[in-house]
Amino acid sequence: MYLLYGGKFTRALMVQMVMAEGDIEYELREIDILSQQERSPQYLAINPAGFVPAMAKPDGEVLFETHAINLYLVDTHRLTQLAPMVDEPGRGTFLSGLFFICDDFEPILKRYFYPHRFVLREEDAAEMRRQSLALALERLGIIDQRMQQQGPYYLGERYSLVDLAVSYWAQDLMFDNNLDSMPAIVHCLSLVRQRPAIAELFESMATLNDEYAQLQAAGKLALDTRPMTRGS
Ligand SMILES: N[C@@H](CCC(=O)N[C@@H](CS)C(=O)NCC(=O)O)C(=O)O
């Protein structure tokens, strides 16, 4: 069985969604990012990058990077409902969309979630956070434009991992009217949230987001100010 290292407030939920869509069995090993468990020597031995998620395959090989894990699961289990396979039309466009999210969009969000890692002076962190959110929304707008022209999904009529990831982040960023100018993404999210296999996981995400916001408002998110140094 697969062993998934994930837990509350982490994008491991995206992997859980793929597991649910593919009806794949796995065991969830909780890593508490609020107590910085992803930096413990035990976890660093599993994923030296110190990020969640990671996934151990039944043969012991450990995979990390959310979208690499998801793509691995899709290809290995031939989850054709989640992506065009390598020999199908649309595979290239699908890969472009997926890599745009993990290579362009998500690193910007990292600066939003952990601004202090990217500034020299503490007092610049708030502005880094503000600018990063604006930039991330601008990048999301590029996907929205595409979906407005040929939606409702990134590949038109065909749902894929790209929509799952876009919807995950749309749900996460759906506060302060951030998505008001992105009707196609809001529509895509509404479709994805209704998928029977993952509806419950999206529900749980909404609850977790509220909990996260409350912790943040109460200043209880240690992860907001910690340095990048590993193993400290
Ligand atoms: N590129 C990585 C990023 C993973 C990531 O940043 N995960 C967050 C939780 S959602 C994390 O581990 N944060 C701890 C940190 O940045 O120190 C992936 O896609 O798996």
Side-chain angles (χ1 to χ4, degrees), residues 11-12 45 71 117 127 134 146 150 156 165 167 186 190 199 201 204 221:
R11 63 195 82 187
L71 200 51
R117 290 180 185 165
E127 183 58 16
R146 181 186 167 89
Q150 44 185 307
S167 298
V186 172
S190 74
L201 288 170
S204 73
L221 283 183

Side-chain angles (χ1 to χ4, degrees), residues 104-188:
D104 182 276
F105 174 71
E106 288 180 353
I108 300 169
L109 279 185
K110 203 78 180 175
R111 306 206 289 266
Y112 166 70
F113 288 122
Y114 301 100
H116 56 283
R117 290 180 185 165
F118 302 92
V119 294
L120 295 177
R121 302 178 314 168
E122 178 66 36
E123 60 265 39
D124 293 330
E127 183 58 16
M128 170 60 75
R129 188 169 159 85
R130 194 194 64 75
Q131 282 190 23
S132 300
L133 178 59
L135 185 55
L137 293 172
E138 187 263 322
R139 305 313 277 168
L140 209 50
I142 293 170
I143 296 179
D144 180 75
Q145 285 298 315
R146 181 186 167 89
M147 287 175 168
Q148 282 195 41
Q149 285 155 15
Q150 44 185 307
Y153 299 116
Y154 189 77
L155 294 176
E157 294 297 324
R158 185 170 184 170
Y159 169 69
S160 76
L161 274 185
V162 177
D163 309 298
L164 190 152
V166 166
S167 298
Y168 173 89
W169 290 118
Q171 172 83 36
D172 208 46
L173 298 175
M174 198 177 231
F175 56 88
D176 290 349
N177 305 324
N178 281 336
L179 303 184
D180 278 5
S181 61
M182 297 185 220
I185 288 201
V186 172
H187 180 53
C188 177

Side-chain angles (χ1 to χ4, degrees), residues 7-12 14-15 31 33 36 38-39 43 47 49-54 64-69 102 106-107 110 113-114 117 168-169 223 226-228 230:
K8 272 169 94 168
F9 313 126
T10 78
R11 63 195 82 187
M14 272 192 265
V15 180
I31 302 297
I33 64 165
Q36 304 181 14
E38 78 282 5
R39 290 200 192 175
Y43 187 71
N47 181 3
F51 294 138
V52 181
F64 56 96
E65 286 298 319
T66 310
H67 303 286
I69 296 171
C102 63
E106 288 180 353
K110 203 78 180 175
F113 288 122
Y114 301 100
R117 290 180 185 165
Y168 173 89
W169 290 118
L223 50 71
R226 64 193 178 172
M228 187 65 187
R230 297 278 156 228

